[in-house]
Amino acid sequence: MTQAKEAIEAVSWQEKSEWFQQCLLRNYYNAETGIMNQWYPRAYNVAGENFYYWWQAHVIDILVDGYERSGDPVYSLKIMELSQSLQAYNGGTFRHNYYDDMEWTALALLRAYRVTGHEAYLSAVLNLWEDIKTAWNEQLGGGLAWKKDQLDYKNTPANAPAVILAARLYELFHKQEDLEWALRIYEWNKTYLMDSTTGFVWDGMNRLGDGQIDYDWEFTYCQGVFLGAGLELYKNTGGVHYLEDANRTANTCIDRLCDPINLMLPDEGIDDTGLFKGILIRYLVQLCKISPVNIRIREVILANAMQLWEKGLDKQLGLCSSSWEVKPELPVQLSIQLSGLMLLEGAAALVNE
């Protein structure tokens, strides 16, 4: 092992997170667009390739993580630059065809507002929230649609993050309407897309126009956002059953999706699913802070972080793979890198408690 590698191995989780933040910027930042490239190496980015708008929202979220951890004003500048560039790249607006994409952008910008106080972020959040609420319709018993050109497809990715957003807006401004939205959306998601016996959360229903639930889609992402929604409602209402829901879903997720021997979360592949584990980790960390008696959650987070650090990183290039137990092969997608960074930041946030 080289001296440089030995130095990296010895640092704290906070330092490891900071190192990986710098790797993200070095490997993916595009000075021409002001946002992140989809691939590393840059040569793999193809003109006209699908623009994953919601990945960039998670870049903002990651930068907020770095700012909260370090207090370094450079992060504040990066948040502003990337958010402005994303708006420009998206046609001068944060609004989008996909309701869940807008929700992630609003959540990231709301966090940015809370740590920086910049009113432009809040203005964008409130503009997005007005558009997001138009997703509600009474088809399939209610709920928010996934996207504007498919209003009869309802899923957890469009509903649970909206609960988190509405509850956080209520926490800030105490508008009863926001809390009512959060409660209504949560009850729909729980009623239609949660297994009442186990607490496991399904992705969506009526995707193919047949009214069916996609029971074969078992994603870490859905468990994360649903338990995150329960957490926010617990914080804002004091209803213990919301915390019980969150812990039940977390425990079922661990039982169903983690390796029973080493607690590793599954390899969910590339593209959008590459982001899923990182999102689960973000909300597991929050649950662990609010409900520390559930020690399994802490064990899962730190077990995955240790495996990623010891086995899943190319420390020369500063990259990870979709499996946190295996070193990456080029090219590596931005979504994969973001999940790995969420894991390291999550470990840093826990250990820093």
Side-chain angles (χ1 to χ4, degrees):
M1 183 182 291
T2 66
Q3 287 185 337
K5 283 187 177 180
E6 288 176 349
I8 291 173
E9 294 290 348
V11 300
S12 68
W13 287 113
Q14 286 74 26
E15 292 169 305
K16 289 169 183 173
S17 298
E18 184 61 31
W19 170 77
F20 211 41
Q21 285 271 8
Q22 299 310 312
C23 293
L24 173 73
L25 292 170
R26 183 183 70 241
N27 291 334
Y28 292 91
Y29 177 68
N30 186 325
E32 297 170 10
T33 64
I35 61 176
M36 300 292 172
N37 286 327
Q38 184 183 154
W39 294 98
Y40 177 88
R42 187 168 182 172
Y44 283 86
N45 293 279
V46 179
E49 191 170 23
N50 185 43
F51 169 46
Y52 291 99
Y53 172 77
W54 77 294
W55 297 8
Q56 305 295 327
H58 288 281
V59 175
I60 297 172
D61 235 359
I62 281 292
L63 292 173
V64 175
D65 291 339
Y67 190 43
E68 288 184 330
R69 169 178 46 76
S70 69
D72 188 339
V74 170
Y75 279 107
S76 178
L77 294 174
K78 285 292 182 186
I79 293 165
M80 181 174 292
E81 178 186 300
L82 196 133
S83 62
Q84 291 174 346
S85 298
L86 176 58
Q87 184 177 25
Y89 197 88
N90 192 53
T93 180
F94 286 116
R95 293 194 176 193
H96 199 269
N97 184 47
Y98 288 84
Y99 287 108
D100 58 334
D101 287 30
M102 291 194 291
E103 290 162 16
W104 285 117
T105 303
L107 284 168
L109 291 175
L110 187 58
R111 288 187 68 211
Y113 167 71
R114 296 184 78 162
V115 298
T116 68
H118 293 323
E119 291 292 333
Y121 299 143
L122 178 60
S123 177
V125 170
L126 296 178
N127 181 274
L128 284 167
W129 180 222
E130 288 307 308
D131 200 24
I132 290 164
K133 288 184 286 189
T134 67
W136 182 276
N137 63 68
E138 296 304 323
Q139 297 182 72
L140 305 174
L144 302 180
W146 181 46
K147 57 178 182 170
K148 295 175 180 177
D149 56 358
Q150 193 179 5
L151 295 175
D152 61 352
Y153 175 40
K154 308 293 181 65
N155 62 10
T156 296
N159 283 270
V163 176
I164 298 170
L165 176 62
R168 288 180 179 174
L169 286 171
Y170 172 75
E171 182 181 12
L172 275 176
F173 303 112
H174 305 291
K175 288 179 60 178
Q176 187 65 25
E177 177 191 355
D178 291 332
L179 179 59
E180 290 170 358
W181 271 107
L183 293 169
R184 178 165 56 155
I185 299 168
Y186 183 86
E187 288 307 316
W188 182 89
N189 205 153
K190 180 177 178 178
T191 299
Y192 288 90
L193 291 176
M194 189 195 77
D195 185 322
S196 60
T197 302
T198 66
F200 194 79
V201 182
W202 308 112
D203 185 85
M205 62 189 300
N206 202 44
R207 179 172 55 90
L208 302 177
D210 56 6
Q212 299 300 305
I213 293 175
D214 291 308
Y215 289 115
D216 56 334
W217 284 12
E218 299 192 2
F219 294 137
T220 55
Y221 171 105
C222 296
Q223 319 316 307
V225 290
F226 184 78
L227 70 88
L231 273 181
E232 294 299 329
L233 289 178
Y234 169 68
K235 288 194 298 182
N236 282 284
T237 69
V240 177
H241 60 289
Y242 294 119
L243 184 59
E244 291 171 346
D245 284 353
N247 273 300
R248 184 168 66 143
T249 294
N251 286 326
T252 295
C253 175
I254 293 169
D255 292 338
R256 195 160 183 155
L257 299 181
C258 286
D259 185 295
I261 297 174
N262 65 6
L263 299 180
M264 292 304 294
L265 289 161
D267 180 347
E268 291 175 288
I270 66 169
D271 297 329
D272 282 342
T273 54
L275 255 171
F276 286 6
K277 285 187 296 189
I279 292 168
L280 169 64
I281 291 293
R282 178 175 297 286
Y283 293 102
L284 284 179
V285 169
Q286 294 176 20
L287 178 56
C288 194
K289 290 179 177 182
I290 290 177
S291 186
V293 294
N294 193 341
I295 60 173
R296 298 179 76 204
I297 299 171
R298 185 183 179 91
E299 290 173 352
V300 166
I301 295 165
L302 295 181
N304 277 266
M306 287 298 298
Q307 286 292 306
L308 173 63
W309 188 255
E310 293 174 357
K311 296 182 179 179
L313 285 174
D314 182 326
K315 288 173 183 167
Q316 289 185 329
L317 293 177
L319 297 167
C320 67
S321 71
S322 56
S323 167
W324 288 339
E325 299 176 88
V326 179
K327 284 184 170 55
E329 296 182 2
L330 298 180
V332 175
Q333 266 184 317
L334 174 63
S335 58
I336 305 299
Q337 191 82 350
L338 290 173
S339 266
L341 185 46
M342 286 185 214
L343 176 59
L344 293 187
E345 287 284 10
L350 274 189
V351 173
N352 198 38
E353 281 290 288

